[in-house]
Amino acid sequence: MKSLIKLPLLVLFAVLTLTSCSTDSIDDKADAIELSLVAQEAKDIEIEILKRINDYRVSLGLNALSDMSVVKSVAFSHTDYMVDNNKVSHDNFFTRSNYLKSNAGAEKVSENVAYGYSSAETVVKAWIKSEGHRGTIEGDFTNFDVSAEKNENGRWYFTNIFIKK
């Protein structure tokens, strides 16, 4: 009986903490925000996330993706927004997508976001277990980058953006 109660709660938690987005799947009504882009030094957790995603892609016979500083800056801007607002979201996705199309030569943009995972291994495993997130990770992209930031309670927020040039 306890297992039957735990399963729906686990599913609800996963839905609330993991979301995936692409320009083909979301209507952004708040695209008037301004991106505040700041060059960020890569953290160890971010480097490991990128490596784990590329290792996974290569294991499937897909191309490894190259990191890109402008993508990292856009990802950081959104992660900082999520930390400030204390919520996981794709708010203003089209602003990020349009910026990358105009300034990074992107033809296609997608993103995965998450909250609360304590390591690169756990967040990447969770994304791979989720059909929508896995579809983004396995997608036809050329570049990507990630931002991971902690909130005031030490919980991680993640934004992983993928582009095709």
Side-chain angles (χ1 to χ4, degrees):
M1 182 65 175
K2 287 183 182 180
S3 297
L4 293 175
I5 293 171
K6 289 181 183 178
L7 182 59
L9 291 175
L10 181 61
V11 170
L12 178 61
F13 177 75
V15 169
L16 292 175
T17 60
L18 284 172
T19 55
S20 176
C21 184
S22 73
T23 53
D24 300 331
S25 67
I26 190 169
D27 181 22
D28 187 8
K29 298 193 178 16
D31 64 351
I33 71 148
E34 194 174 311
L35 290 175
S36 57
L37 302 183
V38 179
Q40 295 294 313
E41 189 73 27
K43 297 175 189 69
D44 289 343
I45 192 170
E46 295 166 337
I47 293 166
E48 187 178 346
I49 288 169
L50 298 179
K51 181 183 180 325
R52 285 179 175 278
I53 290 172
N54 267 338
D55 288 350
Y56 175 77
R57 287 179 58 88
V58 169
S59 77
L60 299 176
L62 301 170
N63 62 304
L65 304 177
S66 300
D67 60 346
M68 193 173 193
S69 61
V70 67
V71 175
K72 178 160 193 60
S73 294
V74 172
F76 171 78
S77 177
H78 184 60
T79 305
D80 194 44
Y81 169 87
M82 291 191 300
V83 169
D84 286 349
N85 289 281
N86 199 33
K87 71 175 187 171
V88 178
S89 75
H90 290 289
D91 291 356
N92 310 303
F93 174 75
F94 277 101
T95 300
R96 292 186 295 287
S97 177
N98 289 337
Y99 183 88
L100 290 168
K101 288 176 180 176
S102 297
N103 296 285
E107 296 175 14
K108 180 170 92 168
V109 180
S110 189
E111 72 182 13
N112 288 338
V113 297
Y115 163 78
Y117 294 91
S118 60
S119 70
E121 179 181 13
T122 57
V123 73
V124 172
K125 280 184 176 181
W127 280 333
I128 290 170
K129 286 182 182 179
S130 162
E131 184 178 342
H133 298 94
R134 184 176 58 252
T136 297
I137 290 171
E138 295 175 0
D140 182 21
F141 297 105
T142 55
N143 300 84
F144 72 153
D145 222 311
V146 66
S147 170
E149 298 296 325
K150 287 184 178 180
N151 68 6
E152 61 196 21
N153 298 320
R155 302 289 304 255
W156 287 102
Y157 282 81
F158 304 89
T159 304
N160 188 195
I161 297 179
F162 299 77
I163 69 168
K164 178 177 181 171
K165 289 180 73 169

